[in-house]
Structure formats: structure tokens, C-alpha cells
Amino acid sequence: MYQDIFSSAIAAVREEGRYREFADLKRITGRFPRATWYGPNGLKEVTVWCSNDYLGMGQHKDVLGAMHTALDETGAGAGGTRNIAGTNHYHVELEKELADLHGKEAGLLFNSGYMSNQATLSTLALLLPDCVVFSDALNHSSMIEGIKAGRSDKVIWQHNDIVDLEEKLKKVDINRPKIIAFESVYSMDGDIAPIAEICALARKYNAMTYLDEVHAVGMYGPRGGGITDRDGVADQVDIIEGTLAKAFGVMGGYITASAEIVDCIRSYASGFIFSTSLAPVLAAGALASVRHLKASGEERRLQQLHAKLLKEKLAERGLPVVHSVSHIVPVMVCDPVICKSLTDELMEKYDIYVQPINYPTVPRGAERLRLTPTPMHGPDEIDRITSALDELWTAFGLKRDKAA
């Protein structure tokens, strides 16, 4: 009986055309974005076009050097939870560096961005009596799960819609605890939240603000603090959450806030209390990455240049690229089966790896290729993927943008 249920569940995903297959890859040190693909026909070198290692920091010499040193100094694992022998000096230094990055009093590390969102939002909702959370309609799954686990009332406001948010805030008692939870850069469409306007509403209606900057930290602002750093509004946000696994190129998640808020999450969040802490070698690598990107803007400059060039090249061919205001480059396919076939052809015929994006990551009918150019994806690579997609769009008989 059980086996039949599981088999039917997988069959349903396959029938819908959204069954996910993992590419067996081994990144090649010093040659990012190249990787070796362990495919069905043997080994093959491919170019990765969908990594969240947005700036290639996962292979930066400073990061690798710091990790080698930490491994030699401290060994492999952390040894326990933060409370039980698991707090390493690298954790303490990294939390201080992250707090400084966002202009906050304190920081707290988690093993992933998912965990930092889930643990923090659920704990906030449980601590604040009769709390109501105002959640942007396109918030990440980790935020949604955190809000659910907090068992508070939830109000969903239309994506990035200030008017709708205010209408919903007006309906709640001014003295009732409220949290407005949203993201800065939304990773599928690449649009950016009106942070200053949201914070103004929070002040007007006595609400806390919780901002997920995972797709922006390292990428924007003079020191890589995200959109809040770029726009000079970090001081207006109560809690800024981020990741160490995207632009910083390593692994882990974190929050930064006032010392009191951080201490409360540290003391009450079960996702923090009962998890073995981040390996010191990872904390050391992330620390080196954060410090480097605070001082260097060259990686950000090149990445933005290449993202702009890629959007222009795709548009010239009439390919349905979304002209996002961020570094994300979505190319719309709007069919799960075709999206998978396109990416298979890119891998087999052109040695280009792009993972198809389908439901539940995006709504049904909004399937896409999500391209993430880095400082290392230069003009030659951009020309190559543009030509490959141009040929495949013709081969598959897909619609083009008439405005091109």
C-alpha cells in the first residue's frame, strides 16, 4: 500500500513534466564557471549558467586560503551545538563582521538561510503576544514555513504593493504586535521591494520589519550589504536576514538586529538551539569573503556589466527575457515539458548547464530559464549562450518578443 502511494506521487510529478533531475557536477577550481559533468555518456566539461555563487567567491583565493588555514587549525566539524562546545572563535568573528556589514548591534549564525528564516520568524511570532504577520505574496518558502510554525495570524499582501499593504495594516489595532516580512531582491523575477516605503508604513502603523536580503547581500551597496546598503536604509529595518551561500560563496545563514532581538532568538529558537553549529572551516571562508567584498567593488561592477550585456543580447534575438532591475536574468518558456527539453539540449549539444525552473518554485505556466551571469561569464560566454538559445528557440518553434 505505502509503496503504491509513493509511486503514484512520483508518477504525478513526472506526468506534469516537472520531475526534477540533479546534474552530477564537480566544479573545477580556478576555472569557474566550468564544471565536469558526470553524465550518462561519461565525463564532459560544461559551463554553469545557473549558480547562485553570483560573484564566484566560492573559488576566490582569499576564501580558499582562509578555509585551508582553519582546517589545519581547528579540524573538520564544530563539535556540537553553540551551547555545547560548538562555539568557535570564527563564529564569533563572523557574527561581528555581519553585524557591522548591516550596521546592527549583533548577528547570529544559522546553518542555512532557510533555517534562519524559519527559526527567526517562528520565534518572533511565538514571543509577541497576539502577533499578526504581514507577508508579501511572493515570499520564500522558508519565510512562509516560519510564519506557519509561529501559529500567529497571517495577512498576505499583494507583491510589492504599498497601497494594498497599507489598506491591510489599517484594519489591525495600532497597538497589536505586527511584523511586516518581505524580501529585497525576489529571485525568480528579479524585482526589488520598495524598502523605504515599507519601513515608513511600519513606523506609521507600529509594526516591526523583517527583511530577507539573501539574493542581495554581497551584490549591492558600497560594502555589499544589500539593497538596504545601496539605498542607505538599513537603519530603518529591524531585522535583516541573509545568506553566506550565494554571493559570499560558502554556506550558512544569519540574522542581524539589535542585541536584544538577537539574544531572544538565540535563547528561544529551537532551530538554533538544537542544531550543531556551522563548521569552523565554513565560518572562516565566509568571514574572508565578507571582508573581501566589503573592500572590493570590482566583482559587483563586472557582474552588473555582464547581466546588462546578457539581457541586451537576448533581447536583440527576440528571446523573451525579463528586463529585471537586478542581476537575475529570467527567460520565459511557460511550459514545463519544453523547459526541461530545452535545458537537456543545452547540456547535450552546447555544453551549457541551466536548470529548468518550474512549479512549485514558480507558478504553473510561468516556467523559465533563470540565468545568473557572474564576473567570470564574459562577452564570449554571453555570445555562446545567446546563440545557443536563439537556435533552440527556432528548433522548438517558440514565440519571440515582437518588440525585438
Side-chain angles (χ1 to χ4, degrees):
M1 177 182 75
Y2 297 110
Q3 190 64 35
D4 290 342
I5 292 172
F6 298 139
S7 296
S8 296
I10 292 298
V13 175
R14 287 185 180 276
E15 186 175 347
E16 196 175 330
R18 61 182 183 90
Y19 180 76
R20 300 185 180 201
E21 297 178 359
F22 297 154
D24 186 351
L25 300 172
K26 183 186 286 185
R27 301 206 301 176
I28 304 171
T29 302
R31 298 186 59 207
F32 185 82
R34 305 288 193 277
T36 301
W37 176 39
Y38 289 72
N41 299 317
L43 304 184
K44 183 178 184 180
E45 187 173 309
V46 298
T47 301
V48 178
W49 266 98
C50 55
S51 174
N52 283 341
D53 188 357
Y54 293 135
L55 301 177
M57 291 301 295
Q59 298 193 18
H60 193 279
K61 61 180 180 61
D62 291 354
V63 175
L64 299 184
M67 295 180 78
H68 282 296
T69 298
L71 186 63
D72 291 340
E73 287 180 350
T74 69
T81 65
R82 290 290 294 275
N83 187 52
I84 304 175
T87 294
N88 186 275
H89 187 61
Y90 286 112
H91 299 135
V92 176
E93 287 296 298
L94 180 53
E95 286 172 341
K96 289 179 181 177
E97 201 74 35
L98 292 167
D100 174 77
L101 177 66
H102 297 295
K104 301 299 182 186
E105 292 180 340
L108 190 66
L109 288 173
F110 292 84
N111 288 3
S112 70
Y114 193 105
M115 185 182 290
S116 54
N117 272 335
Q118 197 277 340
T120 304
L121 281 167
S122 61
T123 302
L124 288 171
L126 289 168
L127 285 174
L128 295 170
D130 195 28
C131 176
V132 56
V133 181
F134 293 80
S135 178
D136 185 284
L138 294 188
N139 274 345
H140 190 265
S141 171
S142 57
M143 301 175 76
I144 295 168
E145 290 303 316
I147 295 166
K148 285 180 181 178
R151 300 193 295 275
S152 65
D153 287 343
K154 177 180 69 174
V155 175
I156 298 174
W157 50 289
Q158 293 175 27
H159 176 56
N160 279 349
D161 190 330
I162 296 300
V163 174
D164 185 59
L165 174 59
E166 181 164 22
E167 285 300 313
K168 289 176 166 60
L169 285 166
K170 283 178 181 177
K171 297 177 182 178
V172 178
D173 188 327
I174 191 74
N175 294 314
R176 185 178 178 187
K178 295 175 282 294
I179 301 169
I180 302 174
F182 61 110
E183 301 180 37
S184 58
V185 175
Y186 287 82
S187 65
M188 289 299 114
D189 292 328
D191 53 340
I192 295 176
I195 299 174
E197 291 90 337
I198 292 171
C199 290
L201 287 180
R203 292 191 296 272
K204 182 177 180 180
Y205 292 97
N206 192 30
M208 287 184 62
T209 46
Y210 181 98
L211 176 63
D212 176 317
E213 284 253 51
V214 296
H215 290 277
V217 291
M219 301 294 294
Y220 299 91
R223 299 199 309 158
I227 299 300
T228 49
D229 184 23
R230 184 195 72 177
D231 295 351
V233 295
D235 61 323
Q236 299 180 34
V237 180
D238 293 300
I239 302 172
I240 296 177
E241 182 267 349
T243 184
L244 304 168
K246 293 181 171 62
F248 293 128
V250 190
M251 180 182 175
Y254 66 88
I255 61 165
T256 63
S258 69
E260 289 79 11
I261 290 174
V262 168
D263 203 15
C264 274
I265 302 305
R266 183 187 70 86
S267 301
Y268 283 91
S270 60
F272 174 82
I273 295 169
F274 297 106
S275 289
T276 296
S277 61
L278 205 64
V281 66
L282 296 174
L287 179 61
S289 184
V290 173
R291 285 175 172 168
H292 175 83
L293 290 175
K294 276 183 175 179
S296 173
E298 181 63 9
E299 292 84 2
R300 289 187 284 276
R301 185 190 70 80
L302 277 174
Q303 195 285 327
Q304 290 290 332
L305 178 67
H306 293 166
K308 180 175 181 292
L309 180 60
L310 177 60
K311 292 171 189 175
E312 291 171 351
K313 293 284 187 179
L314 293 171
E316 286 172 5
R317 307 288 184 105
L319 299 171
V321 59
V322 176
H323 290 274
S324 73
V325 293
S326 71
H327 58 283
I328 307 296
V329 184
V331 183
M332 303 305 295
V333 180
C334 303
D335 182 285
V337 176
I338 294 176
C339 200
K340 176 66 167 60
S341 297
L342 272 173
T343 57
D344 287 346
E345 283 291 295
L346 280 172
M347 194 76 135
E348 293 285 354
K349 186 175 179 181
Y350 299 94
D351 303 337
I352 292 171
Y353 171 55
V354 180
Q355 184 70 6
I357 303 294
N358 52 32
Y359 180 83
T361 306
V362 294
R364 289 182 174 89
E367 294 80 12
R368 68 196 64 188
L369 310 180
R370 177 182 176 272
L371 307 179
T372 54
T374 71
M376 294 78 174
H377 288 89
D380 290 345
E381 288 291 352
I382 290 171
D383 285 341
R384 198 160 73 84
I385 193 172
T386 301
S387 295
L389 289 174
D390 186 31
E391 291 176 13
L392 289 174
W393 237 254
T394 298
F396 279 79
L398 298 176
K399 291 182 180 179
R400 296 179 183 257
D401 189 340
K402 294 179 181 179

